[in-house]
Amino acid sequence: MLGTVVAVLAVVVSVSLRSTPDPVVAAAPQAGTRAQSSNQASRGTAGQEMPVTDVRLEALTRHDAAPTGHDRNPFRFRPTAPPPAPRVVAPPPRETFVPPPVTGPPPPPPIPLRYVGLLGAATQPDRVAVLSDARGNPFYGKEGDMIEGRYRVLRIAADSVDVAYADGRGRQTLRISSQ
């Protein structure tokens, strides 16, 4: 039975606590004679009603010309700047093609002969030059003679010989070699 009394007492206490008004909330209606509505000012005008201004609904339905393109900026307060002038790009300098100088056909390869020495006296008119190729074969020739069918002896001196190809191209001076 004691348990039932404690339970009833707990229910009564909890109900009484819930029904007790909050001291801050309870003091608000006492400040003015009546509760303020949402369209009344809260400071300094307690107890006075503010008049409601007329709402012009026709101003909301007015249709102006729709703004287009760049006119839609609501933050612009000055006239639009003129568009920048187009940039003039100078054309690149013209490259003139300079053809390589005409040098003609490539020179013939060097003559693969060595001047070994002279047969006879250096003062003799019919001197004979001794030449050899890369394999060591000796060739003998006077001025104007053909050697190996490809080379012509042009001039013979004591220390050198002038040789050219048979057609006259590729003139070379061969110095006497010590080998």
Side-chain angles (χ1 to χ4, degrees):
M1 194 148 119
L2 182 61
T4 310
V5 173
V6 171
V8 171
L9 183 62
V11 170
V12 170
V13 170
S14 67
V15 169
S16 68
L17 286 178
R18 284 187 188 166
S19 65
T20 306
D22 192 16
V24 174
V25 175
Q30 296 172 357
T33 57
R34 56 190 159 160
Q36 293 178 347
S37 62
S38 63
N39 64 350
Q40 293 177 340
S42 62
R43 46 189 159 135
T45 60
Q48 295 179 359
E49 281 190 40
M50 283 197 59
V52 177
T53 59
D54 291 334
V55 177
R56 296 181 300 163
L57 293 177
E58 67 275 356
L60 297 175
T61 60
R62 186 177 69 191
H63 295 288
D64 289 336
T68 59
H70 64 280
D71 294 338
R72 285 187 64 117
N73 188 353
F75 303 105
R76 186 178 57 226
F77 297 106
R78 60 181 183 267
T80 325
R87 262 183 38 193
V88 177
V89 178
R94 287 188 72 163
E95 294 181 21
T96 56
F97 177 72
V98 178
V102 179
T103 58
I111 297 174
L113 296 175
R114 290 185 327 167
Y115 181 42
V116 177
L118 187 62
L119 285 178
T123 58
Q124 212 175 15
D126 291 332
R127 296 174 279 207
V128 177
V130 179
L131 304 167
S132 76
D133 61 4
R135 293 173 281 171
N137 299 328
F139 298 100
Y140 305 100
K142 297 181 189 175
E143 290 182 3
D145 286 351
M146 293 288 288
I147 297 180
E148 244 188 0
R150 296 187 291 183
Y151 311 111
R152 181 177 305 277
V153 177
L154 301 174
R155 185 183 65 82
I156 299 173
D159 62 341
S160 66
V161 65
D162 290 339
V163 183
Y165 281 94
D167 59 0
R169 298 177 302 128
R171 181 177 179 148
Q172 286 184 325
T173 300
L174 305 174
R175 304 268 176 214
I176 196 162
S177 63
S178 61
Q179 296 175 347

